[in-house]
Amino acid sequence: MAVTRREFLGSTLAATAAATASTSLLVSCAQQQEDLKRIDLSGVTWKKGVCRFCGTGCGVLVGVKDNRVVAVQGDPENPVNRGLLCVKGYHAPLILYGADRLTKPLIRRNGKLEPASWDEALDLIATRWKEIIEKHGPDAVAFYGSGQWTIEEGYAALKLMKACIGTNNIEANARLCMASAVMGFMTTFGSDEPMGCYDDFEKADVFVCWGNNSAEMHPVLFSRMTMARETRQGVRLVDIAPRRTRTSEVADLFVQIRPHTDLALANGIAYLLVHRGYIDREFIEKHVVFKRGKTDIGYGTEDGFKFKDQPERITFDEYVAFLDDYKPQRVAELCGVKVARIEELAQIYGDPATKVVSLWCMGVNQHVRGTWMNNLIYNLHLLTGKICKPGSNPLSLTGQPSACGTVREVGTLCNRLPADMLVTNPEHRKKAAEIWGIPEEKIPAKVGYHTVEMFRALDRGEIKSIWIQVTNPAQTLPNASRYIEAMKRPDTFIIVSDVYPTETTEVADVVLPSALWVEKTGLYGNTERRTQHWEKMVDPPGEAKPDVWQIVEVARRMGYGHMFDFGGKPLEEGLFEEYRKFTLGTGKDLAPYEVYKRVRGLRWPVVNGKETPYRYVEGYDPYVPKGAGISFYKNKKDGGRAVIWARPYEPPAEEPDEEYPFWLTTGRVLEHWHTGTMTRRVPQLYRAVPEAYCELHPDDARELQIATGDLVRVVSRRGSLQLRAKVGGRGTPQRGMVFIPFFDEEKLVNLLTLDAFCPISKEPDYKKCAVRVEKVG
Amino acid sequence: MKRSWLEWLHKRDPRATRMLAVVAVIAVAVAMVMVGCGQSGQEEVTGRFRADLRAYYGAPPVIPHPVEALGRGNCRACHEQGLIYQGQVAVARPHPYVGECRQCHVEQLPVEPKVKNSFVGLAEPERLPRAYPGAPPLIPHETRMRANCTACHGPRGHPELRTPHPRHWTECMQCHVRPEPGVEPPVVNNFATLWEATR
Ligand code: SF4
């Protein structure tokens, strides 16, 4: 008994364990009391909104009293979550009330950020940008936004850069999380975003998670899976991952693979599907073509890296011959799993009676072959015809609340225009120019800098100024020290709009205080193509202003006021209605603004007031011709067919060796959102996970004589970091691998990570680099 | 333990291993509560304390004890049926199973955030007046996520919330109802005044 108790306490970090030992098992009331101020129920109004955090897109009812948010409820009428939230969603009201909210514009003078008026700050930005553009051209300025931008904010920024200033230098942090998903969709289906939707959670027989710890990252969707298992016979959950997580603990089958070998595993499953007669020939003949692209495509670790794929058609037989490299024995060795496991997976995908939903997010996307890995998962569904069927679909989960709605649909990326259009396509530029009422030549055909290259260009001096909104790149860019130094330099002019001080505001020249969540009106678009609206409910603190207002005010001062004049309509509505024009008739159609005010979101395409739960499927998707059954109509260049890609296994950019013997993988924890800017200011969430730690496998810990709570130094070729070790916590990495979450600004794990990226999507690989672990003292 | 009979069992029937884990953890949890209470004295956990575990009325309570070392299954060990030991109450789960308890309920380490937070949360609702003395009390709180009344009001609920008539606990809602918040009846009812007058 005594041992149990000791182990119990040993589980909390050493720094805090000492404090616990003398107190009761229960948290002392006095400590809690301090956070508790209460207001009575009378006069509280409830309005519908969307959770501020993850891409699940849960509906909330926000309780407001006296111009303050006092509570939220899960919205029982919202089909996404039907009244349930996760701990972050429930504590969202508290993110508004951290004591150090930014409430006044700040300008750096003599090295110090000092309060200034809005006029001063906005005039300064407009003047500096005009100067820079005059001297160095429009490509010397850049915008770096976010998948947490509202749709209107993203659209305003896109219009400022591409239509007014005339540069494609606009990117968003979704490049760091969803770019591989986008390129996976574009290369396989010719259009971004899923065919399936959340309805599949109640219809599937097996859920296969590929490198996705949804128990922590998409908790409400995870509940829908576990509830499906509780309520229906034979429902199973499979977890394929290198690290044992809460998802693995709940899964019926956990397949622990070596890092990066998912490429081989997917091809290995495809090999078995083909050779065991598990494929759906009729589906393949009607709906699929086969292709291969370049191989040995590099990692982008050098400045100015360029890559262009060369797709070529191959026959089915050629594809089968390609799979010969992925015979079960070889795959088993590469992945470190038993052959029987691969067979089990092949059977799940292959059995015509089993409805399968594959789910993935950062494990697959933050991958130096992320686009390939997306392609390979689609292959499994296309080979077996388990796609575009309610209950059987691949579902690419999105991380941020509007990575889909804003970044991917609006197209706030260096190569894109709204609704799947590309700056390199003259037709697309023409359409955009028409809607914007500008000459076609104004929109440059040259692709801008993608995120990593954008910050490299800042370092090289090609970009002079970046305006950063709703994101914190000084904490999230891989190999961050180079880019932090670049932002600090006096010859770079960094503008940051945010709600709290961050690592990035630290290095900014101008800081603009922003309105947060329900302090402004907005629309978010989630994983399942659902566009959801909320109205402003409370005033922002002090002089804080919505990001969209900031963009338009700078535009006005640069002489582009007329581009944002919507004839007296509220700005948000005017922007959305204009953006909507891009979507109509494209299969990505959005509803009129007014409609979103009333409904609990709608899944696009919305045609004649009807949403589309399943894309490409007759009877659901109005764009599918009668009698076609299924049509990948957006992939015109392949005759409305989807593509099965021959994509090989290629090694990662960096692998453990003698000097750096461990894999380092990074990620989130349930309680914290991204860099912790908001959630670390919520006492309940802060106390749940106060600091970043280094998770080790128990055998590695024993070998290194490291125990939970010990101080360790983790060193990579790029930097080093000291933090506490954790063994046997909520996750257990496999042997030879450590995990560090990235939320903690006092322990910047991205000083260690490598800025290698997928050559096709340009998304960095935060999941794999080599480190060594030393015990300190 | 190497992969052995456990894995074999899991393959045959995954639910059996899950049950096994629950049983194993019950033993550990009971032991811990015993040890824990030994140190913390025998105070009764009050209603005030319960409210203090929430950021606001409607927020999921935080977990007032360490949990991480226990792994999966530990919550259900005490909170599936509810448990009282030496005055400490582990209430049963009042809402349907959602898969992962810790997606809403999180452990709290005894550390203070660096930044203060000035959030003011909604208070728990007050009790509602009865129609007359002896009339069944009305339900003052939301019933969503609280469908299992006996979790709190049954014999293993918190002392001050326990029903005085546990034998009829099967259909609570046949006598106790939840008035729709903010709705006033269109017609005034004078019963209460008449009742007062007759006394
Ligand atoms: S699952 Fe995501 S959207 Fe839902 S409440 Fe949690 S963080 Fe918010």
Side-chain angles (χ1 to χ4, degrees), chain A residues 94-103 499-501 681, chain B residues 114-119:
Chain A
L94 285 83
I95 63 176
L96 303 176
Y97 301 108
D100 56 348
R101 269 299 289 268
L102 297 170
T103 54
V499 294
Y500 289 112
R681 287 168 170 86
Chain B
K114 303 219 162 88
V115 182
K116 288 266 170 267
N117 192 300
S118 66
F119 173 72

Side-chain angles (χ1 to χ4, degrees), chain A residues 50-60 80-81 84-90 217-221 399 401 668 670 673, chain B residues 103:
Chain A
V50 193
C51 175
R52 173 63 182 74
F53 299 111
C54 87
T56 300
C58 293
V60 292
V80 170
N81 54 315
L84 187 67
L85 298 172
C86 80
V87 68
K88 278 190 304 301
Y90 280 117
M217 306 321 156
H218 299 87
V220 167
L221 297 182
R668 278 184 42 221
L670 163 73
W673 177 251
Chain B
Q103 83 177 39

